[in-house]
Amino acid sequence: MNVMPGYVSQGARQDGYRPLSVADRKRLLREMLFARRFEERCYEAYVERKIGGFLHLYSGQEACAHGVLEAARPGHDYVITGYRDHIHAIKCGSDPRAVMAELYGKEAGVSRGRGGSMHIFDVAHRFMGGYALVGGPFPLAVGIAKGIKLKGGDEISICFLGDAANNQGTFHESLNMAKVWELPALFVCENNLYGIGTRIDRSTAVLDQYKRAAAYNIPGIQVDGQDIEAVHKAASAAVEHVRSGQGPYFLELQTYRYRGHSMSDSNAYRSKDEEKKWLKRDPITILRNRLIEENELSLDEFKTMDREIIDHIENDIVRFAEESALPSAQDVDKYVLAENDPWVRGKGEKA
Amino acid sequence: MNVMPGYVSQGARQDGYRPLSVADRKRLLREMLFARRFEERCYEAYVERKIGGFLHLYSGQEACAHGVLEAARPGHDYVITGYRDHIHAIKCGSDPRAVMAELYGKEAGVSRGRGGSMHIFDVAHRFMGGYALVGGPFPLAVGIAKGIKLKGGDEISICFLGDAANNQGTFHESLNMAKVWELPALFVCENNLYGIGTRIDRSTAVLDQYKRAAAYNIPGIQVDGQDIEAVHKAASAAVEHVRSGQGPYFLELQTYRYRGHSMSDSNAYRSKDEEKKWLKRDPITILRNRLIEENELSLDEFKTMDREIIDHIENDIVRFAEESALPSAQDVDKYVLAENDPWVRGKGEKA
Amino acid sequence: MAQMMYWEAIRRAHDEEMTNDPLVIAMGEDIGVAGGTYKATQGLYEKYGPERVIDTPISENGYTGLGIGASFIGVRPIIEIMSVNFAWLALDQIANSAAKVRYMSGGQLTAPVVIRSPGGTAHQLGAQHSARMEKVFMGIAGLRVVTPSNPRQAYGLLKSAVRCEDPVFINEHELMYNMRGEVPDEEFFHPLEGSEVSRQGRDVTLFGYNLSVHWCLQAAEILAREHGVDAEVIDLYSLSPLDRAGIVRSVAKTHRAVIVEEAEAPVGVGAEVMAIINEECFFELDAPPLRVSARNVPIPYSRPLEKVAIPNVGQVVERTMTLFRRRNKH
Amino acid sequence: MAQMMYWEAIRRAHDEEMTNDPLVIAMGEDIGVAGGTYKATQGLYEKYGPERVIDTPISENGYTGLGIGASFIGVRPIIEIMSVNFAWLALDQIANSAAKVRYMSGGQLTAPVVIRSPGGTAHQLGAQHSARMEKVFMGIAGLRVVTPSNPRQAYGLLKSAVRCEDPVFINEHELMYNMRGEVPDEEFFHPLEGSEVSRQGRDVTLFGYNLSVHWCLQAAEILAREHGVDAEVIDLYSLSPLDRAGIVRSVAKTHRAVIVEEAEAPVGVGAEVMAIINEECFFELDAPPLRVSARNVPIPYSRPLEKVAIPNVGQVVERTMTLFRRRNKH
Ligand SMILES: Cc1ncc(C[n+]2csc(CCOP(=O)(O)OP(=O)(O)O)c2C)c(N)n1
Ligand SMILES: Cc1ncc(C[n+]2csc(CCOP(=O)(O)OP(=O)(O)O)c2C)c(N)n1
Ligand SMILES: [Mg+2]
Ligand SMILES: [Mg+2]
């Protein structure tokens, strides 16, 4: 199978597309670089045992979340994803300090330390959560889309999941319902070719994931997920399709994760050769080099940006996480059920 | 949507097909007529409260089970289906008396009265059961196919299910696995356009069910399920494909059930007009008229055949069911677990 | 007070709540155009339309998850699972999403869905249509479980479940949809917690829920008439949380307890009520508490087998009397 | 006697059974090329090949059902569900197909599958990766449930489960895969029913299973050393069926019972053991039986919260001592 991106199908209207400005592209470069440094810093914190549980890092896939959400309305549109969720939340508007504090299990964490890395939630920014069961978010995303339609808003529901998640029954059931009821749902498949250690061709009968959407009459397209401008262009058309009431859409992004599936995974199942090929297509490097070629950026500026980001993460974000307080053990029973919900006591006549 | 059959896709090799002989067709006419009378007699028995629980009748769909299994090797190939299962079992070789006795809840029933109408089992004839959860048989059928491949036999695994079952997650998961592992599984979709009272276009994004198989790289075809000769021809190619080791195959048969979904269903949701259209395409009448046109059969012969069948069902089959004994209440705990399985006690050294 | 059937009471609750709040919706298989297998949603499709009364595909985990997701943003779905047996397919979304989202989001999200389903053994439906799953739902932290034993409860519990912020599973019963009973004409909301004294008694407490409450009441009549035993009957309409105080109050009075459950004994309602009694009022007991349960078998189709697989009134009476014959504890 | 780790014992059982019978296969997510998340199938892919050591797609209900179907015609699948939390997705095929097929076919078919899965709370895996589901499986008639507390049991129970005609669920534990222990060099098959006296004692019985057996043993040491209480520890390696005789034997000797479970209390192992004690030997009790359970919450990620959510040795000691301080029954 061809593990390199390239093939792009028809399917989404590309007309009326407003390309990213230089300022936008510089900002996105900074955001992606920040994402990379943030994740790498999480890696260190995990090694230092400051972060526990399972930790899934996003390094290598930055152009996916940033390219898609740049084309949508983060904080307004609803976003939901799996356990590899830090960066999606931050791009939706979450305070990186609160995200890091969550990984540290602190009360100041986005999910008050109850969720951890796999369960980042930030409802104020309409980041509806990271979920740990593969395929779990599909029906939830379609449900949010149903809610949007009922309420008559112009939001859309965006579901980011991996390639292997598409083999879960929920994928099938959810895409069918999304189409039957013409719901405003955008399915983004970050196809990094592996489900943990199992390569896509060993688990999946159809390698091009966007083709599976055809089984539900849902338009789909496959795009190079390492080139944020390509992602942004395709995503703009996809978002427009969904927001304009034309029903669900499926966007496949061909990408690659640099690190193991989670911290406990060594990547032994991948060839160094394959990894090298993909490292050559690093999303940050691609955008950086383009801006340099266009004389919009110098290598020094980039290095300065990088230093600033590293300092910011260290002195602001990590410090905040380190210094904030752990939840108190007395609160262990909080948040199981609603606190004194009047309807639990009932109302009106009763025997 | 077009509720009438007709459109037939490419996909299955038709070469080397040996058409049915006149003798075969006469036998099949008798078998289908028997099936119709058997089911109608069940209807009466249910009204007389001789049969309990849920009863799903096959009237109208006879050409599906008979056409497909005539092309396979009943009793040798493994067959599994849903709750609408009497006729599939009988075509696999089950004694109709034991099937009727099962419906009567008698110890002499195929499933010893434990199963009832929805759970006809006859393992001796490789009828692996009727199951009451929609979509449940998909993975079981694929598992049987996996077993065949492991054991190296030339059997195939045939799964008969309805159109609405295809919206269950098990459909998606099972077809994907069947293809990834190239298993000898034949999926037969008896598309009667309804899941209980919900018409296919209200629950399903893709109306032509054979098209859904493409999402798993599984070849599929759509055939007129009311013409047993068309079914037999397509099924012969499908069976050949699967038996020759080319992997799974999907066969969609366009058909119609005459009665309500089960005895408790009035069919109120269907237009009389639609029902009339389909009654004009009765599978028994189609074959009968063909034989008559060809002067291979006279109406009198047919009527005699019908009388013989009715007598046989009444005096042999129903009588057997009526006269055989109910299970004894003392046996209620039997068949939950294996009886004195030595491995439960263990073996060899233990602390 | 109007007399109405159990299904009519459920239908009325749907109708009132859907009129009250445009974000209350009903969904499930064949609940719309067909009006619902047990008529609990009859006429709602015509009245509220396809956007709010939704015939779903046969995708239990999918449409249950869809309802849960919609509830995240203010929708109040009433999801019907046609038979509780099909809920085995939806447990992932119920247990992993609905019941856990409030906790793991630190209180930011909640899933105020109502999932209704008939959860008893009807007549000869066979092993795959006769499961009783209340024990499974009771074991899930973050989920409320209630089970109405009459039309009044069926109406009032659904009303409160729709308004409540928590996910609520309502365990109904195929054999009860046509049961008649009084339902107040004025709107009311039944408490989601607690228990109800269905019959006052001094000598022994019979604990029941849903259909088994009626077995207990009939048994109590026989016990009074034929054995001079005055039984109290407690209706455990809330299975999660169970009413510890109510259980203790009654046992402290009668000093004897019998739990009658339609399900098989292992890790069931009977075991949990016994555990609560042991924990809360062990020293009040004059005899060991006992449970009358179904046999631990998949439910057989054949009538004589099915009959003995499920408990009956005679058994309740007979087992209860053993508490009086058996030697006293002291 | 060789010392080996829990995962090595499971791997050895796989290897021996796969050598013994070509129809024994292993399947699950990442068990083949990757060798299994907890190494329980390490090296088997290389040794037995892809037809018998199968990396499945992420389709829990699908591949579990596939294993069940294969078992209908003589295959003996050992199915690994990577984490028990994912088993919520496979309960339909486990409960509706595997557990019921023998009964509803009148004994014609049986589903001799083994389903293995780690079913405990590890370290900070959060609400969706910390479920303990033994109670759910124990409630399913037609399914055997065993749970090894050490490498010897892990080896011997899997061996017997593979040979047994019934479907068997093996509840393992993420925190135990690296536990060392003795396993006999000679092949052996551990009984699938019964219980084991892990420590003899006179004053009180501590019932545990899987990881909680070790909490009980540590608590017993402290009780002996610091409180002069001689505790017996019973290892309930078979959760379904539970060993009624073994439970009674011990309680009849010690007259006091404490059940220690890693799961939340409602409708759990503790409740069922209490119910059995009430039914079988109520009059032997000198004090109310009690259960030490997890808090009834989804498991939190943050360490201090997670720590208090799960029972610990100190709690077992403390709660046990209340049985001696509290006024005697007579
Ligand atoms: C229901 C379920 N099954 C299995 C797992 C274990 N698991 C976690 S991530 C993963 C692989 C998912 O791969 P993919 O969907 O491609 O996402 P990626 O990790 O590559 O981003 C698996 C098998 C799980 N968390 N949930
Ligand atoms: C898991 C599950 N969900 C729902 C049902 C209720 N039910 C029984 S048959 C049926 C319709 C199935 O339609 P289809 O698959 O087209 O088969 P047909 O009855 O038309 O032959 C439904 C919804 C069930 N038995 N199992
Ligand atoms: Mg992936
Ligand atoms: Mg149909």
Side-chain angles (χ1 to χ4, degrees):
Chain A
M1 69 179 281
N2 158 36
V3 298
M4 294 302 292
Y7 175 70
V8 176
S9 88
Q10 269 36 274
R13 301 191 6 267
Q14 302 287 320
D15 51 288
Y17 169 62
R18 183 150 29 67
L20 293 161
S21 70
V22 169
D24 291 335
R25 291 155 71 212
K26 282 186 160 177
R27 176 175 45 78
L28 287 167
L29 178 65
R30 176 180 271 274
E31 289 179 9
M32 290 199 292
L33 186 57
F34 175 85
R36 177 73 54 87
R37 295 303 186 190
F38 184 92
E39 294 289 79
E40 295 306 314
R41 186 59 182 80
C42 292
Y43 181 98
E44 291 170 31
Y46 191 91
V47 173
E48 297 162 3
R49 306 179 145 285
K50 298 288 179 70
I51 296 175
F54 288 141
L55 179 68
H56 306 80
L57 301 175
Y58 200 58
S59 301
Q61 304 185 202
E62 293 86 354
C64 300
H66 287 92
V68 170
L69 292 176
E70 186 69 20
R73 292 170 57 187
H76 178 73
D77 292 328
Y78 294 94
V79 174
I80 191 167
T81 186
Y83 40 83
R84 202 179 298 283
D85 57 354
H86 314 161
I87 302 309
H88 300 79
I90 291 171
K91 180 64 177 171
C92 285
S94 296
D95 178 349
R97 301 186 312 166
V99 174
M100 187 63 80
E102 184 61 33
L103 307 187
Y104 273 66
K106 301 300 182 75
E107 185 74 30
V110 264
S111 307
R112 294 202 169 86
R114 271 64 174 179
S117 169
M118 301 197 290
H119 304 302
I120 302 294
F121 281 81
D122 189 348
V123 176
H125 292 96
R126 296 198 166 168
F127 181 70
M128 307 305 280
Y131 297 79
L133 281 102
V134 171
F138 284 124
L140 300 175
V142 176
I144 290 168
K146 172 65 187 178
I148 293 167
K149 196 176 185 193
L150 270 174
K151 294 163 86 175
D154 70 343
E155 304 93 344
I156 69 171
S157 175
I158 308 176
C159 180
F160 287 88
L161 281 176
D163 45 293
N166 298 346
N167 294 328
Q168 198 64 274
T170 49
F171 168 89
H172 180 68
E173 299 180 353
S174 301
L175 269 69
N176 182 57
M177 292 187 292
K179 183 59 185 179
V180 169
W181 299 322
E182 294 291 0
L183 302 177
L186 171 58
F187 301 99
V188 181
C189 174
E190 300 190 38
N191 182 354
N192 60 13
L193 304 169
Y194 291 84
I196 305 186
T198 301
R199 194 182 157 119
I200 188 168
D201 53 310
R202 299 189 57 247
S203 68
T204 311
V206 168
L207 302 183
D208 293 319
Q209 297 305 294
Y210 76 95
K211 291 181 181 168
R212 304 175 85 169
Y216 315 95
N217 273 328
I218 295 176
I221 186 170
Q222 183 182 59
V223 181
D224 175 357
Q226 304 307 82
D227 178 346
I228 191 167
E229 297 181 71
V231 173
H232 180 263
K233 186 172 185 200
S236 299
V239 166
E240 159 63 16
H241 175 97
V242 176
R243 203 184 300 283
S244 62
Q246 298 173 71
Y249 193 92
F250 189 90
L251 178 62
E252 175 185 359
L253 305 176
Q254 293 187 302
T255 185
Y256 203 71
R257 66 168 152 74
Y258 292 165
R259 297 218 169 259
H261 167 73
S262 71
M263 295 295 291
S264 50
D265 170 26
S266 65
N267 268 340
Y269 45 83
R270 302 197 308 200
S271 76
K272 295 283 144 275
D273 184 59
E274 177 183 299
E275 290 183 350
K276 267 207 229 69
K277 269 204 234 141
W278 281 93
L279 280 166
K280 284 212 203 73
R281 309 206 64 268
D282 181 72
I284 295 171
T285 313
I286 288 173
L287 181 57
R288 184 200 67 185
N289 292 352
R290 253 186 225 150
L291 286 163
I292 289 175
E293 280 156 30
E294 297 171 19
N295 297 315
E296 300 291 356
L297 182 81
S298 75
L299 203 54
D300 285 349
E301 286 174 296
F302 180 78
K303 288 194 175 135
T304 315
M305 185 193 292
D306 193 16
R307 266 194 308 279
E308 287 166 7
I309 286 169
I310 291 170
D311 293 349
H312 170 54
I313 289 173
E314 206 52 50
N315 305 328
D316 186 2
I317 295 168
V318 173
R319 150 119 24 106
F320 175 83
E322 296 269 2
E323 291 175 356
S324 47
L326 286 161
S328 127
Q330 283 94 50
D331 291 340
V332 65
D333 298 328
K334 240 174 142 177
Y335 309 125
V336 179
L337 294 172
E339 269 166 38
N340 41 58
D341 182 323
W343 301 105
V344 169
R345 292 188 308 276
K347 183 154 160 279
E349 102 124 69
K350 80 171 248 30
Chain B
M1 71 181 279
N2 157 35
V3 298
M4 295 303 291
Y7 176 70
V8 175
S9 89
Q10 269 37 273
R13 299 189 10 266
Q14 302 288 325
D15 50 288
Y17 169 62
R18 181 148 30 68
L20 293 162
S21 69
V22 169
D24 292 334
R25 292 154 71 212
K26 280 187 160 173
R27 175 175 44 79
L28 287 167
L29 178 66
R30 176 181 273 273
E31 289 179 11
M32 291 199 289
L33 186 57
F34 174 85
R36 176 73 54 87
R37 294 304 187 188
F38 184 91
E39 295 289 81
E40 295 307 315
R41 186 61 182 80
C42 291
Y43 181 98
E44 290 170 33
Y46 191 90
V47 173
E48 297 163 2
R49 305 179 145 285
K50 298 287 180 70
I51 296 175
F54 289 140
L55 179 68
H56 306 80
L57 302 176
Y58 200 59
S59 302
Q61 304 185 200
E62 294 86 354
C64 299
H66 287 93
V68 170
L69 292 176
E70 186 69 21
R73 292 170 56 187
H76 178 73
D77 292 327
Y78 295 94
V79 174
I80 191 167
T81 187
Y83 40 84
R84 201 179 299 282
D85 57 356
H86 313 162
I87 301 310
H88 300 79
I90 290 171
K91 180 65 177 170
C92 285
S94 297
D95 178 349
R97 301 187 311 167
V99 173
M100 187 62 80
E102 184 61 33
L103 308 187
Y104 273 65
K106 301 298 182 76
E107 185 73 31
V110 265
S111 306
R112 294 201 168 86
R114 271 64 174 178
S117 170
M118 301 197 290
H119 304 303
I120 302 295
F121 281 82
D122 188 349
V123 176
H125 292 96
R126 297 201 165 166
F127 181 71
M128 307 306 280
Y131 297 79
L133 281 102
V134 171
F138 284 125
L140 300 174
V142 176
I144 290 168
K146 172 64 188 178
I148 292 167
K149 196 176 184 191
L150 271 174
K151 295 164 82 174
D154 70 343
E155 304 92 343
I156 70 172
S157 175
I158 308 176
C159 180
F160 287 87
L161 281 176
D163 45 294
N166 298 346
N167 293 327
Q168 198 64 275
T170 49
F171 168 90
H172 180 68
E173 299 180 352
S174 301
L175 269 70
N176 182 57
M177 292 187 292
K179 182 60 185 179
V180 168
W181 299 321
E182 294 291 0
L183 302 178
L186 171 57
F187 301 97
V188 180
C189 174
E190 301 190 37
N191 182 354
N192 61 13
L193 304 171
Y194 290 84
I196 307 187
T198 301
R199 192 180 157 121
I200 187 166
D201 54 312
R202 299 189 59 246
S203 68
T204 311
V206 169
L207 302 184
D208 293 320
Q209 297 304 295
Y210 76 95
K211 291 180 182 168
R212 303 176 86 169
Y216 315 95
N217 273 327
I218 295 176
I221 187 170
Q222 183 181 57
V223 181
D224 176 357
Q226 304 308 81
D227 177 347
I228 190 167
E229 296 181 72
V231 173
H232 180 263
K233 185 171 186 201
S236 299
V239 166
E240 158 64 18
H241 176 97
V242 176
R243 203 183 301 282
S244 62
Q246 298 173 72
Y249 193 92
F250 190 90
L251 178 61
E252 175 185 358
L253 305 177
Q254 293 187 299
T255 185
Y256 203 72
R257 67 167 151 74
Y258 291 166
R259 296 219 170 257
H261 166 74
S262 71
M263 294 296 290
S264 49
D265 171 27
S266 64
N267 268 339
Y269 45 82
R270 302 197 308 201
S271 74
K272 294 285 144 276
D273 184 59
E274 179 184 296
E275 292 183 349
K276 268 208 228 69
K277 268 203 238 147
W278 282 93
L279 280 167
K280 283 211 204 73
R281 310 204 65 267
D282 180 74
I284 296 172
T285 313
I286 288 173
L287 181 56
R288 184 200 66 186
N289 291 353
R290 252 186 227 150
L291 286 164
I292 289 175
E293 280 157 30
E294 298 170 19
N295 298 315
E296 300 291 355
L297 182 81
S298 76
L299 203 54
D300 285 349
E301 288 174 294
F302 180 79
K303 289 193 174 133
T304 316
M305 184 194 291
D306 193 17
R307 265 194 308 279
E308 287 165 7
I309 287 170
I310 291 169
D311 292 349
H312 171 53
I313 290 173
E314 205 53 50
N315 305 329
D316 187 0
I317 295 168
V318 172
R319 148 118 29 104
F320 176 83
E322 296 268 2
E323 291 174 355
S324 48
L326 286 162
S328 127
Q330 284 95 49
D331 291 339
V332 66
D333 298 327
K334 239 175 144 177
Y335 309 126
V336 178
L337 294 172
E339 267 167 39
N340 41 56
D341 182 326
W343 301 105
V344 169
R345 291 189 308 278
K347 180 154 160 282
E349 104 125 64
K350 82 169 246 34
Chain C
M1 292 262 233
Q3 284 274 336
M4 61 174 76
M5 290 191 193
Y6 195 87
W7 71 265
E8 292 172 308
I10 295 167
R11 195 205 158 289
R12 173 180 158 192
H14 272 92
D15 195 9
E16 288 177 7
E17 290 304 301
M18 291 184 77
T19 300
N20 170 71
D21 178 355
L23 290 181
V24 173
I25 65 173
M27 42 190 291
E29 293 159 15
D30 276 59
I31 68 151
V33 171
T37 308
Y38 304 103
K39 301 193 280 187
T41 54
Q42 203 175 54
L44 299 179
Y45 180 87
E46 294 69 18
K47 184 166 179 182
Y48 300 101
E51 286 295 319
R52 293 182 62 196
V53 182
I54 305 161
D55 282 313
T56 64
I58 308 174
S59 310
E60 281 78 8
N61 204 36
Y63 68 71
T64 300
L66 184 148
I68 293 164
S71 78
F72 288 174
I73 63 169
V75 179
R76 295 285 173 137
I78 304 172
I79 302 168
E80 173 176 295
I81 295 181
M82 192 186 280
S83 160
V84 81
N85 298 265
F86 316 152
W88 286 111
L89 282 150
L91 284 171
D92 158 51
Q93 286 295 331
I94 295 170
N96 288 319
S97 300
K100 293 184 173 64
V101 71
R102 175 187 290 272
Y103 201 95
M104 66 191 191
S105 69
Q108 290 178 81
L109 269 188
T110 177
V113 286
V114 179
I115 301 167
R116 305 172 33 242
S117 189
T121 296
H123 293 313
Q124 293 190 262
L125 302 189
Q128 291 187 326
H129 275 63
S130 303
R132 292 119 302 156
M133 290 176 61
E134 55 275 15
K135 66 176 73 174
V136 176
F137 297 104
M138 290 167 71
I140 301 171
L143 180 70
R144 291 184 174 279
V145 183
V146 296
T147 185
S149 65
N150 56 51
R152 184 178 47 78
Q153 287 182 1
Y155 165 80
L157 287 170
L158 177 51
K159 295 274 293 180
S160 303
V162 170
R163 303 283 178 111
C164 172
E165 289 297 323
D166 304 316
V168 181
F169 179 80
I170 304 183
N171 189 71
E172 300 171 355
H173 200 298
E174 238 149 300
L175 297 183
M176 290 170 75
Y177 288 107
N178 291 327
M179 165 186 291
R180 287 198 157 286
E182 291 201 326
V183 179
D185 304 325
E186 327 65 55
E187 174 178 59
F188 89 97
F189 299 81
H190 195 288
L192 293 172
E193 295 185 3
S195 63
E196 197 171 291
V197 180
S198 304
R199 184 186 195 279
Q200 296 275 358
R202 282 176 284 89
D203 303 333
V204 59
T205 305
L206 308 181
F207 292 95
Y209 60 95
N210 193 253
L211 185 59
S212 72
V213 169
H214 301 279
W215 301 339
C216 292
L217 287 168
Q218 292 166 49
E221 291 311 312
I222 296 170
L223 285 164
R225 207 173 48 242
E226 298 177 12
H227 304 278
V229 167
D230 181 19
E232 176 147 303
V233 175
I234 300 288
D235 179 343
L236 300 168
Y237 59 78
S238 172
L239 292 178
S240 183
L242 277 164
D243 181 19
R244 298 179 81 91
I247 291 167
V248 172
R249 202 178 309 114
S250 184
V251 174
K253 178 169 109 183
T254 64
H255 310 292
R256 288 182 173 78
V258 176
I259 307 101
V260 183
E261 58 192 341
E262 188 175 329
E264 334 79 347
V267 291
V269 176
E272 186 56 28
V273 172
M274 277 184 174
I276 290 170
I277 292 169
N278 278 254
E279 288 167 340
E280 305 281 350
C281 54
F282 181 78
F283 295 105
E284 294 287 352
L285 290 168
D286 285 346
L290 59 83
R291 48 184 174 176
V292 179
S293 318
R295 301 200 72 88
N296 194 22
V297 303
I299 300 300
Y301 163 75
S302 188
R303 198 83 188 91
L305 294 172
E306 184 185 50
K307 272 189 65 167
V308 294
I310 300 297
N312 57 52
V313 174
Q315 269 172 41
V316 177
V317 171
E318 180 193 310
R319 298 289 311 287
T320 302
M321 288 313 296
T322 64
L323 295 181
F324 294 91
R325 284 194 211 91
R326 185 183 298 180
R327 73 170 166 86
N328 186 299
K329 205 165 56 188
H330 304 281
Chain D
M1 290 266 232
Q3 284 274 336
M4 62 174 74
M5 291 191 195
Y6 195 87
W7 71 264
E8 292 173 307
I10 295 166
R11 195 203 158 288
R12 174 182 157 191
H14 273 91
D15 196 9
E16 288 177 5
E17 290 305 299
M18 291 183 78
T19 301
N20 169 71
D21 178 355
L23 289 182
V24 174
I25 65 173
M27 43 189 291
E29 293 159 14
D30 276 59
I31 67 151
V33 171
T37 308
Y38 303 103
K39 303 194 278 188
T41 54
Q42 205 175 56
L44 300 179
Y45 181 86
E46 293 69 18
K47 185 168 178 182
Y48 299 101
E51 285 295 319
R52 293 182 63 196
V53 182
I54 305 161
D55 282 313
T56 63
I58 308 175
S59 309
E60 281 78 9
N61 205 36
Y63 68 71
T64 301
L66 184 148
I68 294 164
S71 78
F72 288 174
I73 63 169
V75 179
R76 295 285 173 139
I78 305 171
I79 302 168
E80 172 175 296
I81 295 181
M82 191 186 280
S83 161
V84 81
N85 297 266
F86 316 151
W88 285 112
L89 282 149
L91 284 171
D92 158 50
Q93 286 294 333
I94 296 170
N96 288 320
S97 300
K100 294 184 172 65
V101 73
R102 175 186 291 271
Y103 201 96
M104 66 192 191
S105 70
Q108 291 178 79
L109 268 188
T110 176
V113 286
V114 179
I115 300 168
R116 304 171 35 243
S117 190
T121 295
H123 293 312
Q124 293 191 262
L125 301 189
Q128 290 186 327
H129 274 63
S130 304
R132 293 120 301 155
M133 290 175 62
E134 55 275 14
K135 66 176 74 173
V136 177
F137 297 105
M138 291 167 70
I140 300 171
L143 179 70
R144 292 184 175 279
V145 183
V146 297
T147 185
S149 65
N150 56 51
R152 182 178 49 78
Q153 287 182 1
Y155 165 80
L157 287 169
L158 177 51
K159 295 272 295 179
S160 304
V162 169
R163 304 281 179 111
C164 173
E165 288 297 323
D166 303 316
V168 181
F169 180 81
I170 304 183
N171 189 70
E172 299 170 358
H173 200 299
E174 240 149 300
L175 297 182
M176 290 171 74
Y177 287 107
N178 292 326
M179 164 185 288
R180 288 198 157 285
E182 292 200 327
V183 181
D185 304 324
E186 326 64 58
E187 175 178 59
F188 89 97
F189 298 80
H190 195 288
L192 293 173
E193 295 186 1
S195 63
E196 196 171 292
V197 180
S198 305
R199 184 187 196 278
Q200 297 274 359
R202 282 177 285 90
D203 303 334
V204 59
T205 305
L206 308 182
F207 292 95
Y209 60 94
N210 193 252
L211 185 59
S212 72
V213 169
H214 303 278
W215 301 340
C216 293
L217 288 168
Q218 292 166 50
E221 291 311 312
I222 297 171
L223 285 164
R225 207 172 50 238
E226 297 176 12
H227 304 277
V229 168
D230 181 18
E232 176 148 301
V233 176
I234 301 286
D235 180 341
L236 300 168
Y237 60 77
S238 172
L239 292 178
S240 182
L242 277 165
D243 181 20
R244 297 179 83 91
I247 292 167
V248 172
R249 204 178 307 114
S250 185
V251 174
K253 178 169 109 182
T254 64
H255 309 292
R256 288 180 173 78
V258 177
I259 306 102
V260 183
E261 59 192 341
E262 189 175 330
E264 333 80 347
V267 291
V269 176
E272 185 58 28
V273 172
M274 277 185 175
I276 289 170
I277 292 171
N278 278 252
E279 288 167 339
E280 304 282 349
C281 54
F282 181 79
F283 295 103
E284 294 287 354
L285 290 168
D286 285 347
L290 59 84
R291 50 184 173 176
V292 179
S293 319
R295 301 200 72 89
N296 195 22
V297 303
I299 300 300
Y301 163 75
S302 188
R303 197 84 189 87
L305 294 173
E306 185 185 48
K307 272 189 64 166
V308 295
I310 301 297
N312 58 53
V313 174
Q315 268 172 41
V316 177
V317 172
E318 181 193 308
R319 298 288 312 288
T320 301
M321 289 312 296
T322 63
L323 295 181
F324 295 90
R325 282 191 215 96
R326 186 185 299 180
R327 74 173 167 85
N328 188 297
K329 205 166 58 188
H330 306 283

